Amino acid sequence: MMDQDSIFIGGGGENYAVPQTLLLKFGNRHGLIAGATGTGKTVSLQILAEGFSAAGVPVFLADVKSDLSGLAASGTHEHKLHDKLVARAETIGFDDFGYDDFPVVFWDLFGENGHPIRTTVTEMGPLLLSQLLGLNETQEGVINIAFTIADDQGMLLLDLKDLRAILNHVGENASDISTTYGYVTKSSVGAILRRLLVLEQQGGEGFFGEPALKLSDMIALTPKGLGRINILAAEKLMQSPKLYATFLLWLLSELFEELPEVGNPDKPKLVFFFDEAHLLFDGAPRALVEKVEQVARLIRSKGVGVYFVTQNPADIPDDILGQLGNRVQHALRAFTAKDRKELKQAAETYRDNPSFDTSLAIQEVGTGEAVTSMLDAKGIPTMVERTLIRPPSSQLGPITTAERKAVMNASPMAGKYDQTLDRVSAFEMLTKRADMAAKAAEEAEAAEDALEEQERVLKQARRYDGKQTGRSSSRSRKSTGGFGDAIASIVVKELKGT
């Protein structure tokens, strides 16, 4: 059911006999996969990743439960769901259904379940870094000043020790810096350093440094022309939601800045799946949300499609939701008045189908079934359809640890990012500057001590000379009234009397 121009999603309409497809030329018009837990979102993401890869489109996705690692292995006839998968394929007319594996590259910010992935502090930038650290407006201003000083003085900010060094420099010279760059307080610097310590304790230190990720290593094809599927191991990363969301936003921003304009390509250059998308917007400052809106609006001209995966469409800001042309909506539950309101709002974003009530269908669809709407040949959203999602060709569920290691060892990225580099940067430059200042101070102190010692010796010498002269005069005076003089006086008197 896969042709050169589209990806087969599943069967819709009466008896699920009408093919539902995503046109590749509109794959960069972004998309949405939504639904409550356990309704089939992961499988929908899996079959889309398979479809794009088979069409020669590289994919990036985050695997928050390790389930998507199964893309690296072929499904098997021995799987407990084999008969059901085959029956579903027959129901929807998926005649060429078969099992296959796909070219997967595993990545991991912690370097444990995938190849290490890093960026530099400079590439992250002050806005995203402030979001990552949870800084207020004043503290964000200090971060901007630190970046500016590093740039003015030619100091690279590569890793967190560089950032810590430049912040310490700003704090120690707050008075002088305030007159040139703006008001800085030591308390603000101290607050940022405390946040930095928390990030380091969460494992964020390993994310910053070199060698930094080259986007060309992700946007790659196999020799057979298949798009590589880049899977970010996010199970541990999800324990630090801000680091997870900030990393994915940074990656989107890098794609936007580095990729050239391609207009309207026949198929995307890369498709990016943003799982647990609500984490990006929860508590995010307006400036950050506006940045996401800008990237989502403009990045499609770079040939990049962004697909948000979340439980409820209400998790996505309206300005972004309105840009998502390809939609797979799994079941939503309506237990409260708020749930019913959000369900109604979700239904209203689709083009009505006279055959059924959309809001009712969203509540009724079962696991592996969804209401879908894709862009047609004219770029217009199709009428919503109740669709039975096609079965995946790759393995349902995670692969074993040994299988993952084997995939990593055979990967074209094996060994490329394993060893960290530590070039001369802000930390080394400021340390050298401090060492030189300390040495100069030590030499000045030693010179001052030597001068003081010289003066002390001279003073002692002058005191010694003065005391010697005084004692000599005293003895001279005392010698005029000595015992010999007294005898001589008596003898003279006696002679005079005779």
Side-chain angles (χ1 to χ4, degrees), residues 32 34 312-314 321 327 329 332 340-350 358-359 362 371:
L32 173 72
N312 196 311
L321 190 62
R327 302 189 180 195
Q329 176 67 66
L332 287 177
R340 289 191 293 272
K341 181 180 178 181
E342 291 179 346
L343 175 62
K344 182 180 178 181
Q345 290 175 336
E348 288 174 347
T349 63
Y350 289 93
T358 305
S359 61
I362 292 176
V371 295

Side-chain angles (χ1 to χ4, degrees), residues 58 60 107 117-119 123 212-220 230 247 250-260 269-270 272 299 304 413 416-417:
F60 177 88
W107 301 92
I117 185 169
R118 304 182 193 88
T119 186
E123 288 175 339
L213 174 70
K214 292 183 178 179
L215 294 181
S216 58
D217 288 335
M218 282 191 173
I219 309 174
N230 300 276
F247 162 73
W250 163 79
L251 186 55
L252 269 181
S253 300
E254 288 294 296
L255 290 167
F256 175 69
E257 291 174 6
E258 293 193 19
L259 294 181
K269 299 297 181 184
L270 175 74
F272 187 103
I299 201 171
V304 178
M413 297 298 106
K416 182 170 184 178
Y417 293 99

Side-chain angles (χ1 to χ4, degrees), residues 9 20 32-34 44 326-332 343 346-347 350 356-366 368-374 383-389:
I9 304 297
Q20 302 300 304
L32 173 72
I33 302 174
S44 291
N326 303 296
R327 302 189 180 195
V328 179
Q329 176 67 66
H330 290 274
L332 287 177
L343 175 62
Y350 289 93
F356 58 86
D357 180 270
T358 305
S359 61
L360 188 60
I362 292 176
Q363 295 181 76
E364 291 178 346
V365 290
E369 188 181 8
V371 295
T372 63
S373 176
M374 305 294 159
M383 284 193 304
V384 65
E385 286 286 0
R386 292 187 63 152
T387 301
L388 197 61
I389 303 298

Side-chain angles (χ1 to χ4, degrees), residues 422-460:
D422 193 9
R423 288 194 290 157
V424 174
S425 51
F427 173 78
E428 287 78 13
M429 293 176 69
L430 289 172
T431 299
K432 182 178 180 180
R433 188 184 299 179
D435 290 344
M436 291 175 64
K439 184 178 180 181
E442 184 178 343
E443 290 175 350
E445 185 177 357
E448 185 178 354
D449 290 344
L451 182 61
E452 290 178 354
E453 177 65 17
Q454 184 179 3
E455 291 179 354
R456 186 181 66 80
V457 170
L458 290 173
K459 287 180 181 179
Q460 285 183 342

Side-chain angles (χ1 to χ4, degrees), residues 145-156:
I145 289 173
F147 271 71
T148 302
I149 291 172
D151 187 54
D152 289 348
Q153 299 186 16
M155 293 186 289
L156 298 174

